[in-house]
């Protein structure tokens, strides 16, 4: 297929753009691990040319959606900086145009973001663009809220049907993207508080009916607290901290969700222990620590942690990610 793409591109004037586009989409969606710059330099501009169409006919929208889906799938391939600078500019324009005109399908819009955020792994200068220019947190929060409403509406209208299944799949794709964002982007702005609050709201709405969505919320909020720029005070205000405590009180909590809860509180505990050099920041840290201490006593958090003391070693051994502590005292904080 690589040779077919290269050969078709060499035809220049005689090149069949439809065939080349189909080949590029197929190759990108295969998700091959190894790819050469020569092929990337053909695939990415070809797919972006299709993705940039402004035609809003159903056929054109399908073409745009497929090209962006393929682009999102190749995001982790390492491209030379000089190769993708123009491509990043084009994908920015596609996202901006959608924000103004709402011309993309939900899948296409998510895929455009996926392609862009994947590039953060090799170019941290994109953080400013993603956070403060394109406002990812604000857009992701809006998408989650819209999806929550549409899932509820579809359930009332026709029960668990095809429409609801599509919305749940869209949830999963957005949570994948949000987790990627929390992992790879370190910048912070006020809009991040809104995104965290939206995740909390989705968790509360899905607690009884959508266990998979509930699990994804727990994992995403755990990722948020691991993001060093997310303020612990914001986690308190958004309701994320209280949500985790309520979850830990559940008698039917499985090992995966319990591990996410423990990671969440372990990260908070570790961050509250970190003294600040700046006097104002240190005073703020102590104030938040006092708030957390008082909240811990009011909500019975210490008793909850004590009740899990016996199973902590087993959970820690099962951990597949960062090491979990085997000692309950590591998840607590004292004045």
């Amino acid at each position: 297929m690589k040779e077919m793409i290269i050969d078709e591109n060499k035809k220049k004037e005689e090149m069949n753009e439809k065939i080349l586009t189909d080949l590029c989409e197929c190759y990108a969606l295969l998700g091959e691990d190894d790819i050469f710059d020569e092929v990337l330099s053909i695939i990415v501009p070809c797919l972006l040319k299709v993705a940039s169409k402004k035609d809003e006919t159903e056929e054109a929208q399908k073409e745009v959606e497929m090209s962006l889906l393929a682009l999102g799938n190749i995001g982790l391939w390492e491209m030379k900086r000089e190769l993708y600078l123009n491509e990043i500019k084009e994908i920015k324009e596609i996202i901006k145009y959608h924000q103004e005109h709402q011309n993309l399908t939900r899948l296409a819009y998510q895929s455009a973001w996926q392609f862009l955020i994947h590039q953060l792994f090799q170019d941290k200068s994109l953080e400013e663009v993603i956070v403060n220019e394109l406002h990812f947190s604000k857009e992701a929060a809006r998408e989650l809220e819209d999806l929550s409403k549409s899932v509820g509406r579809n359930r009332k209208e026709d029960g668990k049907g095809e429409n609801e299944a599509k919305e749940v799949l869209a949830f999963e794709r957005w949570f994948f993207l949000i987790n990627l964002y929390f992992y790879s982007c370190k910048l912070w702005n006020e809009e991040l508080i809104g995104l965290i609050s939206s995740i909390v709201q989705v968790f509360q709405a899905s607690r009884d009916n959508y266990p998979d969505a509930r699990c994804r919320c727990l994992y995403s909020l755990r990722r948020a607290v691991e993001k060093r720029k997310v303020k612990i005070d914001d986690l308190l205000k958004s309701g994320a901290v209280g949500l985790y405590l309520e979850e830990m009180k559940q008698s039917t909590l499985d090992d995966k969700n319990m591990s996410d809860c423990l990671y969440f509180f372990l990260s908070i505990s570790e961050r509250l222990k970190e003294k600040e050099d700046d006097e104002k920041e240190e005073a703020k840290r102590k104030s938040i620590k006092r708030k957390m201490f008082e909240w811990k006593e009011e909500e019975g958090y210490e008793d909850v942690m004590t009740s899990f003391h016996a199973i902590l070693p087993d959970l820690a051994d099962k951990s597949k990610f960062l090491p979990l502590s085997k000692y309950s005292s590591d998840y607590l904080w004292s004045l």
Side-chain angles (χ1 to χ4, degrees), residues 113-286:
W113 273 113
Q114 187 166 312
F115 177 78
L116 184 60
I117 291 177
H118 269 146
Q119 307 315 315
L120 272 171
F121 288 94
Q122 54 186 318
D123 187 355
K124 290 298 180 183
S125 68
L126 287 172
E127 285 188 335
E128 179 67 30
V129 172
I130 290 169
V131 175
N132 294 322
E133 184 178 343
L134 297 178
H135 307 283
F136 174 77
S137 292
K138 182 179 178 181
E139 292 294 298
R142 181 181 56 77
E143 288 287 335
L144 289 183
E145 290 165 8
D146 287 349
L147 280 165
S148 295
K149 292 174 184 175
S150 57
V151 167
R153 184 166 56 250
N154 288 331
R155 174 174 287 271
K156 287 179 181 179
E157 291 174 356
D158 58 7
K160 285 189 174 181
E162 182 180 350
N163 286 336
E164 184 178 345
K166 289 180 179 178
E167 305 297 355
V168 171
L169 182 59
F171 259 130
E172 291 176 0
R173 290 182 62 85
W174 271 102
F175 272 116
F176 168 79
L177 190 54
I178 289 166
N179 293 338
L180 191 66
Y181 170 70
F182 283 150
Y183 177 78
S184 57
C185 188
K186 306 303 179 187
L187 286 181
W188 179 93
N189 67 9
E190 292 289 339
E191 293 169 357
L192 188 56
I193 304 172
L195 176 55
I196 293 171
S197 296
S198 294
I199 296 172
V200 171
Q201 291 169 17
V202 170
F203 177 90
Q204 292 167 340
S206 63
R207 186 192 293 268
D208 298 324
N209 299 321
Y210 306 103
D212 288 344
R214 176 170 145 259
C215 293
R216 291 178 189 279
C217 289
L218 287 174
Y219 183 74
S220 293
L221 290 170
R222 169 198 148 186
R223 279 294 192 192
V225 77
E226 290 170 357
K227 186 185 177 87
R228 308 306 288 179
K229 293 295 182 181
V230 174
K231 301 174 183 178
I232 295 176
D233 204 24
D234 293 336
L235 293 167
L236 275 168
K237 292 175 184 176
S238 68
V241 177
L243 177 153
Y244 271 89
L245 179 60
E246 288 302 313
E247 189 66 9
M248 290 179 72
K249 292 177 180 178
Q250 301 298 315
S251 59
T252 57
L253 198 62
D254 61 27
D255 287 352
K256 173 64 175 65
N257 287 351
M258 173 52 67
S259 294
D260 283 334
C261 290
L262 292 173
Y263 276 124
F264 183 85
F265 285 113
L266 182 60
S267 294
I268 287 180
S269 179
E270 289 175 345
R271 288 175 61 180
L272 287 174
K273 292 174 184 176
E274 297 172 353
K275 294 184 178 180
E276 301 285 348
D277 295 330
D278 183 80
E279 289 186 10
K280 288 184 177 179
E281 290 300 316
E282 176 61 11
K284 189 174 181 180
R285 181 190 72 87
K286 288 181 177 179

Side-chain angles (χ1 to χ4, degrees), residues 27-159:
Y27 188 79
L29 291 169
L30 283 172
E32 296 288 342
D33 291 331
D34 60 323
I35 186 167
F36 302 105
D37 285 341
E38 183 180 6
V39 182
L40 265 182
S41 65
I42 299 170
I43 290 177
V44 178
C46 174
L47 295 180
L48 277 171
K49 183 178 180 180
V50 178
S52 300
K53 289 181 179 179
K54 302 297 190 297
D55 188 347
E56 294 187 11
T57 63
E58 185 177 353
E59 183 179 354
Q61 276 202 323
K62 286 182 179 178
E63 291 178 359
V64 170
E65 183 178 77
M66 184 58 73
S67 63
L68 285 171
L69 182 64
L71 279 167
N73 204 51
I74 69 173
L76 280 174
W77 284 338
E78 187 171 344
M79 295 186 284
K80 289 183 178 178
R81 183 173 175 82
E82 61 269 21
L83 181 63
Y84 72 78
L85 279 178
N86 286 334
E87 281 68 24
I88 293 299
K89 182 179 179 181
E90 287 189 46
I91 207 75
K92 279 171 52 181
E93 293 306 313
I94 289 172
I95 290 173
K96 283 183 176 180
Y97 188 85
H98 173 75
Q99 289 173 348
E100 294 176 8
H101 301 91
Q102 302 297 303
N103 66 307
L104 298 176
T105 64
R106 178 169 278 131
L107 177 59
Y109 190 46
Q110 188 274 341
S111 299
W113 273 113
Q114 187 166 312
F115 177 78
L116 184 60
I117 291 177
H118 269 146
Q119 307 315 315
L120 272 171
F121 288 94
Q122 54 186 318
D123 187 355
K124 290 298 180 183
S125 68
L126 287 172
E127 285 188 335
E128 179 67 30
V129 172
I130 290 169
V131 175
N132 294 322
E133 184 178 343
L134 297 178
H135 307 283
F136 174 77
S137 292
K138 182 179 178 181
E139 292 294 298
R142 181 181 56 77
E143 288 287 335
L144 289 183
E145 290 165 8
D146 287 349
L147 280 165
S148 295
K149 292 174 184 175
S150 57
V151 167
R153 184 166 56 250
N154 288 331
R155 174 174 287 271
K156 287 179 181 179
E157 291 174 356
D158 58 7

